[in-house]
Amino acid sequence: MTAGRVRLSVAEARELGEAALRGIAYADEEARIIADHVIDAALCGYEYSGLAKILNIPESRHFRQPRRPMAVVRETGVSIAFDGGNNVGMLALYHAARAAIDKAGAHGIALVSVNDAWMSGRSAYFVEMIAKAGLVAIHTVGSSRLVAPPGGAKAALGTNPIAIAVPSARGPIVLDMGTSAFMATEVALRERLGQQLPEGVAIGPDGEPTRDAGLARRGALLPFGGYKGFGLALMMQALGLLAGGSKDGDNDYGYLFIAFRPDLLGPADAFEARVAGLVDYIKATPKQKGVDEIRIPSERAFRARERALREGLEIDRLVFDALVALREKAK
């Protein structure tokens, strides 16, 4: 560990995260839910979505606006549309995912939407939660404008991830992918730490390519894979409108969960066994020279989680000191 790093046990990290959140006026249960989200991200190896993400919350313009309890705007037997009450997404979407589990468990399928929420964190966290309940989960996000279309010199779409999880006999299989070439949360962390971005992921306010994280934050990220990433981002933004986001940039966050029981289409245990068999078949594929293993989505993150649960976490000292400062406000 370098001098600029701090090692914490998982319990210490959780205590620090919850205390920092209480320092910015979150109640105990709210702090527990948000801290669990960021701790899980850190355990899975995503430091930029880990404890550092707590620092992004009070810096958001949304945080400085009043928040309200979540409210049901519309409900049917298989659907719920939530007004997120200007709550941070890591909190609002936790409750939405729980509602999706309950609805799908009772009726076989559920559609749950949330608007007026922001900064939802890792989509994988929510779909893994739903898959652990034995359900197939699809989660789409339409978010604030940070990504320029191909050829564009200004942000017009969000980073707009899509996440899918399916239960299997070997545990949930999870895919979580953003449609931008780089994650906005990691841009924020690199700007905080004075680190540059990779080549080819962002443009500055003048529309020219940049590696400067501060210029990228004032400019735009680029979609991954050119028109393919742009096309996915456009569809995620459109589904965000279905979920209640706006198209004028004033409140353009819209979140959608689709969850259903596999037994609607056949025996659930047979499906889970077939998914596990598919994974085994893929991992047994003959490997190219120099390749040790064929990995599936989520496998690296799950292994990182198991290791970090034993060994603890490392965070940058600047992040640690800033969290301690927030913790002091709670006293």
Side-chain angles (χ1 to χ4, degrees), residues 65-81:
Q65 299 167 356
R67 64 188 184 105
R68 314 172 302 281
M70 286 181 66
V72 175
V73 177
R74 180 182 176 89
E75 183 171 9
T76 73
V78 296
S79 65
I80 306 180

Side-chain angles (χ1 to χ4, degrees), residues 171-190:
I173 308 300
V174 180
L175 170 70
D176 178 7
M177 54 173 284
T179 53
S180 57
F182 207 70
M183 294 307 299
T185 305
E186 187 165 3
V187 174
L189 180 58
R190 291 202 180 200

Side-chain angles (χ1 to χ4, degrees), residues 186-200:
E186 187 165 3
V187 174
L189 180 58
R190 291 202 180 200
E191 182 181 21
R192 194 182 301 280
L193 301 180
Q195 298 172 353
Q196 286 196 311
L197 304 178
E199 294 278 3

Side-chain angles (χ1 to χ4, degrees), residues 198-210:
E199 294 278 3
V201 302
I203 56 176
D206 58 1
E208 295 299 317
T210 186

